[in-house]
Amino acid sequence: MVVEFAFKKTPKYRLAYITWKGPWKDATIRRNFEKVAKWATAKGYRTGPWIFREPGARRWETGVVVDARARSEGEIRLKTLPATRVASVVFDPDVVSPGVVYHGLNDWLRWQKKDKKIQRVVSYREVYLGNPWTDKSAYAHTDTQYVVRP
């Protein structure tokens, strides 16, 4: 499998999400993703990519892209992530170690900063085309993105 780092522009996303603070836990991430997806389905909203974000230190967001008519309810909030430039890599975690990919992307971004191609890295997110626990295709196309500023 070839793993290539690239800059790309992402579309804006209308995100229904749950946020929490604390340690990273796979079970919590999965549970919160599934809560949001179940909520969106029950409300009849069309859903899109699943997004996992770390907007701050030990702060996490799991969300599902929904259509524009969605409204917040209970612990589920809504926000629009603007279209933005990201450093991206799409890979299959069963074929290529995520640790290797993340370290490689971080080193590549450090060189991009040294070469003055970017000023800074803003935040990190993972984008899946569906439920990565039940859809092997979604998991096999993990899109890791770092929002960057030129």
Side-chain angles (χ1 to χ4, degrees), residues 5-136:
F5 306 129
F7 290 114
K8 69 180 184 181
K9 181 118 178 172
T10 61
K12 75 176 183 177
Y13 294 117
R14 177 80 167 150
L15 191 67
Y17 68 98
I18 294 175
T19 187
W20 76 97
K21 284 186 171 192
W24 184 96
K25 286 186 184 174
D26 189 61
T28 304
I29 294 166
R30 182 177 185 170
R31 182 178 62 248
N32 287 340
F33 261 137
E34 290 173 350
K35 267 189 210 176
V36 175
K38 184 177 178 182
W39 170 85
T41 301
K43 295 291 182 183
Y45 299 136
R46 282 189 325 248
T47 61
W50 291 34
I51 299 176
F52 173 68
R53 298 181 63 225
E54 182 185 9
R58 298 177 64 91
R59 204 178 99 191
W60 314 97
E61 291 178 1
T62 51
V64 176
V65 174
V66 293
D67 55 33
R69 63 188 172 95
R71 298 288 177 251
S72 295
E73 181 180 308
E75 68 181 329
I76 299 183
R77 301 283 175 234
L78 282 127
K79 73 166 77 172
T80 300
L81 301 177
T84 191
R85 185 173 186 226
V86 298
S88 171
V89 60
V90 178
F91 69 103
D92 182 348
D94 286 334
V95 176
V96 180
S97 169
V100 170
V101 171
Y102 293 119
H103 286 289
L105 185 55
N106 279 319
D107 286 346
W108 184 75
L109 285 170
R110 188 175 31 179
W111 280 103
Q112 297 300 309
K113 283 170 72 172
K114 280 186 170 188
D115 290 343
K116 308 274 189 227
K117 292 183 180 171
I118 62 171
Q119 286 185 358
R120 65 188 181 107
V121 176
V122 179
S123 64
Y124 153 84
R125 62 187 177 198
E126 291 175 5
V127 180
Y128 304 95
L129 299 177
N131 184 337
W133 289 275
T134 60
D135 182 354
K136 288 184 181 198

